[in-house]
Amino acid sequence: MKRMTFAEAIDDALLSAMEEDERIIVLGEDVPMLRARIFARFGKERVLGTPISEAAFLTAGVGAAMAGLIPVVEIMMVDFIAVAADALLNHAAKVEAFSGGNWKVPLVVRTACGGGYGDGGQHEQSLWGWLSHIPGLAVVVPSNPADAGGLMLAALRYGAPVVYMEHKLLSESWLDFLAFAGRDNIHFWLPEEGMKGDVPDVWEPVPIGKARTVKKGTDLSFIAAGADVYRCLEVARQLEKEGVSAEILDLRTISPLDVESIVTSAQKTGRILVVDEDYKRFGLSGEIAAVLHERNVPCAYRRVCTEETIPYAHNLERETLPNCQRILQAARELLENEGPNRHP
Amino acid sequence: MKRMTFAEAIDDALLSAMEEDERIIVLGEDVPMLRARIFARFGKERVLGTPISEAAFLTAGVGAAMAGLIPVVEIMMVDFIAVAADALLNHAAKVEAFSGGNWKVPLVVRTACGGGYGDGGQHEQSLWGWLSHIPGLAVVVPSNPADAGGLMLAALRYGAPVVYMEHKLLSESWLDFLAFAGRDNIHFWLPEEGMKGDVPDVWEPVPIGKARTVKKGTDLSFIAAGADVYRCLEVARQLEKEGVSAEILDLRTISPLDVESIVTSAQKTGRILVVDEDYKRFGLSGEIAAVLHERNVPCAYRRVCTEETIPYAHNLERETLPNCQRILQAARELLENEGPNRHP
Amino acid sequence: MMDLWHIYTHMFRSRLFEEAVARAWQAGRIMGEMHSSIGEEAIAAATVLQLKEGDAMLLDHRGTAPLVIRGVDMALLYREFLGHPDGLCGGKGGHMHLFSRPHLAASSGIVGATGPLAAGFALAAKRLRPGNVALAYFGDGAMNQGMLLESFNLAAAWKLPVLFICKDSHWAITTETEQVTGGNLIERVRGFGIPAEYAEGWDVERLWPLVQKALVHIRDGKGPFFIHATCVHLEGHFLGDPLIRVFRHPLKEARKLTSPLLAALSLKSSDSVSHRKERLEYLLKTIGKAAKQRREDDKDPVKRLRKKLLAENKNRLKEVEQQIRTEIDHIISQVERYEKEAKR
Amino acid sequence: MMDLWHIYTHMFRSRLFEEAVARAWQAGRIMGEMHSSIGEEAIAAATVLQLKEGDAMLLDHRGTAPLVIRGVDMALLYREFLGHPDGLCGGKGGHMHLFSRPHLAASSGIVGATGPLAAGFALAAKRLRPGNVALAYFGDGAMNQGMLLESFNLAAAWKLPVLFICKDSHWAITTETEQVTGGNLIERVRGFGIPAEYAEGWDVERLWPLVQKALVHIRDGKGPFFIHATCVHLEGHFLGDPLIRVFRHPLKEARKLTSPLLAALSLKSSDSVSHRKERLEYLLKTIGKAAKQRREDDKDPVKRLRKKLLAENKNRLKEVEQQIRTEIDHIISQVERYEKEAKR
Ligand SMILES: Cc1ncc(C[n+]2csc(CCOP(=O)(O)OP(=O)(O)O)c2C)c(N)n1
Ligand SMILES: Cc1ncc(C[n+]2csc(CCOP(=O)(O)OP(=O)(O)O)c2C)c(N)n1
Ligand SMILES: [Mg+2]
Ligand SMILES: [Mg+2]
């Protein structure tokens, strides 16, 4: 066991995979500097700084993957993926289907997501639900260093396109770059437990599509991913003091969704609270509701998500993102009013 | 009352609005020819054929809307919106929020959607759920000539961005262009009842955000939009013969969703079947499940959607899109197995 | 070495095959749109016949000729168009999404995507198959699509082995590209630091040495090259192109087109009739130009080369053509027989 | 008429204001990133001061100087940066999303978006405010973004009244633009049929007449114009730029940067140490270049003009500067007082 920060873990797993597999390359804006350690090891043949043209280099990543490489294409922030959405929607996600299964696209799209540090609505989106709508894409959102490294390894071996999302609040290096920038007088909520942690001595893949029970409980299930997991933990501790036993499921993978784990937890507690930093409507929280319905799981359900464009001002931003107060309140509502769906 | 085809109705309502409001312009690829009637009336000052650069001209549409025009920007097929997704996600949908409510974007994005005529997976997507994920965008999907004209008028007056989606199977002109192309020996399922119909003598806006009950019933509610409404009708007629009374809700607007109408119907019938030609996961069908859960509506739920990339071969395409057999089967399941959520 | 007889064999074979496909389409046996590469055979032959093993081809919506000439089994192609499970892509792709992994040949129906896809294939070639190239085919209309422009820059900056081939038909569906394009295409590409040259794309004798020179340049590691080659789509934009239909079947088609226009002409409005007449004339002129331009025999690359070979050796020509005719007839009839048997 | 004293007033005011903002940021009172336009004042002044009522400005992530010079209330801007509900956008936008409808000034944090947005504003101007123009500001890095390239074509094809202003800092975050850009920017733009000219962007005396000429061209209805102006971001990419920090606080920062690199250097692997040293040197050289280039006083537009005016009339200069200092101090202290009161 070693200890690493979240960002170190990703780069470390990537670096070790690159040692073993010559086909893996990294490309994206500023990657020689942002991934300096990997650049120092593999140089510009395998760590390629790109022009600011996400559509071209992400689509090129699809082509390179088809042609025998395993590209890790970095889209600096997931917000910018919108200028390259065609590469995912119409190419990465469809080549295998179009080719009758004959041609696979082993591509990893690495991108930073999430808000809470004051960058405003074009730079703090999460969009994992949005991307998960597209059949043929896997979407992973790790919440701690061990999962971060393990999911990177799994993504590199997945043999199909994976969007790998790195929550900025978990990543020391993004925070230093975008939020603190050398300052120590800036304060905002941070998921500290996820920012640094134990990692295995040798990286092993963390299976894509498998959630993890962070905390067992019997009265209520939180379902979350990324930084939200720690918001749920805070609220769960608070509830614990009040005698409520909350379970927390860290999805780790948004798509394919681990339906079994969700259903099992819902069957146990009878109350589901989805905490989702991505936009509320037509996304992850809805999909979870649908699978519960489809599986006829009797349970009460609430969701705490981002409902609108994320504002800049910190107080407004905090209100807009799922915060502990909103989560706590929703949990209390769920506990009070079990709803007619609740198992007797 | 007059009778019009679906496509005629849209252009007619648009034309009449353009007569009244000088600020309305139309731009997009091939619009002088595709909207020949409007072009003949208003010429190239107001009907502008664009280069094939959706990102630029859709973003320009946002700018033009901010600067005082009401642009109707045509994206030939919604699939291609992926190359211009940034214009919607980061600009059209966010300017009002960013500007503190001071600046609105009265933009209509008109785009053809839907499949079933053999154009394959990059040209037959629906994506209304995908677009509806974005807060700040309205998304409408009319299913008949009267709604088509009325919703166009409403979209033009909405004062905020509206994606107006025109199902190709409903539109004689798209079908002639893309499917028949002068041939009369091509056969596939068509929503004939929606392709032509009565329209008011003078266009009135059809309110955005209001669903319409196409057929009243007591045992089961179909929720659908666009061409799917007619698939549901066919199935409902079949069920009728078996003594089952099905209600059909035509959403007309996907976002903002008419939650009240959905809840009312679900409360009445206790069984919801969402039929959604857009992709199944993380989309419309999930959002409907979520609002039912949130409102604690006791009901059983099923969904029939598109689950994967739409294949070209007609038999595979038919199986992949929601078809009457799949809908009927899901309805039967719902009716047989009421599920533990069902009201006693 | 440019062997005109050899080249002709390929061009003629491709033409005959596409004519057979057109008949099947006309007979209603192929669904949806069908963009043929009839008229592009010289461009296809001059490029494809100079490729080596390991070179890649990125194809737009007119991929048939390059695939036939590259040696992809025509029976597989034909079955794919018919939507047969034994087609090239199991019937999943259709004519806009043709993929042959052994040939490193991939298609996209999204205008402009072949450029960045080729950049990706070229990047992989640089690492895995040094000396190999990637060809990107696209039209004049695509020259305004952002991701293609971005890919010019990417290929130049990274010195990628890409041969960009612009097949300039002067038209994008119903739009004269000139009217929506600023500057000059050759200058535009040179502005990205890529050598760019022009040749008449119906004249294989001029094209061949230009392609040869370009490939030497690229294989020498000097970076990308751009060829601007004019061509005429003798069948119009797609089979059944309405602009062509009007002329081929004036009685049946012209009314469809003109009656809404005439209606617009007689609309009550403040706009002067002379204004509207002018616009009508603009539309009719456009249609006329489109139809006329597409009937220019001297720009038919197959007829053109045939003339020369006919003068050279009439008997040999007849023999060559007869052989190919037999070959195509055989393939088509075999597929049809097989189809019939499969249906039984 | 170019009045250097008048121009200096504006440049100096903008500089002082941004310095005050930088202090507030450094003091931890402004969240997130902060891209200042320090170093761009000559470009801002030479363009903005020649605008008329009804002209529009589309701003990138460095919008402060143009807004200040255009006359937007600095108190509103300052409050916006502080995230105050009385800020320019109610605190919703922040420094990357500044909107002032009365000034027709809008921003985008998405690189390249200002081009197509400006095209839209220009299109509206053509219809609603003939003779007015739209200015698009963007950096050198943006010159590779597809939608900006597309907008060059759109503006050229439609002869839109757009002034494109490329503020070439030679850098995009940590990337030297030259290394990822093919060809030459002026040639690139001319390739779209747009007149393009260069001037040193730190020299307002040369810029002014070029802008004047460009605006005459555009207002005359001759279509767009492109100005390529170099500049230096004296504060680096954003406040607290790590490449600058390393030099300003070597003890504190250098270790952060170098320790992962040194770790990479000593990693066990098959790769030679000399190779890795080379790469390390490349990174260190890049950092050095970035930091050095950003300290070049003779490229500071304010200092440069100041020198000249100082020689012309020392006393007048002192007076002017003192007045502006008082003005800015007053604004800042008023906002702060107001803030304090609001907090009570
Ligand atoms: C991004 C995108 N926009 C629009 C279309 C619809 N479309 C298909 S082909 C075509 C015209 C292409 O013109 P050109 O590039 O000249 O090729 P040609 O058809 O003339 O060979 C258009 C607009 C598309 N497929 N993709
Ligand atoms: C589409 C997009 N990609 C990436 C970014 C991240 N980003 C912000 S500023 C910047 C560099 C821009 O460089 P340049 O255009 O030269 O402007 P400068 O910062 O030098 O003024 C980048 C890559 C973004 N905001 N938008
Ligand atoms: Mg063309
Ligand atoms: Mg720059």
Side-chain angles (χ1 to χ4, degrees), chain B residues 29 52 54 80, chain C residues 61-62 109 111 139-142 169 171-172 233 237:
Chain B
E29 289 154 23
I52 306 177
E54 287 84 357
F80 314 150
Chain C
H61 49 295
R62 303 186 192 280
V111 167
D140 45 307
S169 69
W171 290 87
H233 292 140
H237 176 69

Side-chain angles (χ1 to χ4, degrees), chain C residues 71-88:
Chain C
V72 171
D73 183 347
M74 284 179 277
L76 288 179
L77 284 168
Y78 193 57
R79 284 192 198 131
E80 183 65 26
F81 301 157
L82 297 173
H84 197 277
D86 289 341
L88 181 66

Side-chain angles (χ1 to χ4, degrees), chain C residues 27 31 49 69 92 96 101 111 125 128 156 179 184 191 212 228 232 245 279 301 307-308 319 339:
Chain C
M31 297 275 291
L49 293 176
I69 297 174
K92 303 259 181 115
M96 266 190 286
R101 195 173 178 186
V111 167
L128 306 174
Q179 298 200 12
N184 158 299
Q212 191 167 35
H228 180 204
V232 173
R245 265 191 278 149
R279 293 165 196 153
K307 217 165 164 185
K308 173 156 186 162
E319 214 171 285
E339 287 271 289

Side-chain angles (χ1 to χ4, degrees), chain A residues 41-309:
Chain A
R41 172 66 191 82
F42 297 107
K44 63 183 195 302
E45 280 72 36
R46 293 180 69 189
V47 181
L48 294 88
T50 60
I52 306 177
S53 35
E54 287 84 357
F57 70 74
L58 186 49
T59 309
V62 177
M66 294 174 72
L69 297 178
I70 302 178
V72 178
V73 179
E74 295 210 22
I75 301 290
M76 200 176 275
M77 299 190 190
V78 72
D79 315 70
F80 314 150
I81 226 164
V83 304
D86 173 73
L88 294 181
L89 177 73
N90 289 321
H91 295 94
K94 290 193 170 44
V95 166
E96 187 172 342
F98 281 154
S99 67
N102 293 322
W103 214 336
K104 297 198 189 292
V105 181
L107 169 74
V108 178
V109 182
R110 177 177 177 180
T111 184
C113 69
Y117 61 96
D119 235 358
Q122 272 174 345
H123 289 67
E124 294 203 325
Q125 296 171 94
S126 293
L127 301 182
W128 46 61
W130 198 54
L131 297 171
S132 293
H133 183 62
I134 303 170
L137 283 191
V139 178
V140 302
V141 184
S143 71
N144 60 63
D147 285 354
L151 281 168
M152 175 50 81
L153 211 60
L156 291 166
R157 296 183 187 171
Y158 199 60
V162 178
V163 182
Y164 180 102
M165 302 181 74
E166 191 178 341
H167 199 292
K168 278 168 276 175
L169 294 195
L170 288 162
S171 162
E172 196 191 38
S173 61
W174 279 121
L175 286 172
D176 179 60
F177 202 67
L178 301 169
F180 299 115
R183 299 177 295 172
D184 48 18
N185 47 15
I186 291 288
H187 306 284
F188 51 92
W189 181 84
L190 280 176
E192 285 177 22
E193 292 162 84
M195 294 172 72
K196 193 161 190 165
D198 293 339
V199 300
D201 287 322
V202 177
W203 287 109
E204 284 296 327
V206 164
I208 288 177
K210 284 268 160 256
R212 185 176 66 97
T213 306
V214 175
K215 177 182 170 314
K216 283 194 187 291
T218 52
D219 297 331
L220 161 81
S221 307
F222 290 109
I223 304 186
D228 285 330
V229 169
Y230 302 95
R231 296 189 169 110
C232 294
L233 258 172
E234 265 185 54
V235 173
R237 287 190 192 123
Q238 173 67 31
L239 290 171
E240 206 85 4
K241 290 185 203 153
E242 303 171 15
V244 175
S245 158
E247 176 146 309
I248 300 175
L249 199 64
D250 176 357
L251 287 174
R252 305 199 289 193
T253 297
I254 309 297
S255 176
L257 200 57
D258 184 350
V259 175
E260 288 318 313
S261 296
I262 294 170
V263 165
T264 305
S265 186
Q267 277 165 339
K268 182 163 74 167
T269 67
R271 293 187 191 90
I272 288 288
L273 178 49
V274 182
V275 177
D276 179 9
E277 192 180 328
D278 190 11
Y279 297 125
K280 173 171 156 180
R281 283 176 285 266
F282 302 86
L284 169 61
S285 59
E287 186 58 20
I288 291 173
V291 303
L292 293 171
H293 259 317
E294 283 181 316
R295 298 282 291 260
N296 295 325
V297 181
C299 69
Y301 164 98
R302 285 289 178 282
R303 50 181 171 168
V304 175
C305 314
T306 299
E307 305 203 11
E308 55 185 62
T309 294

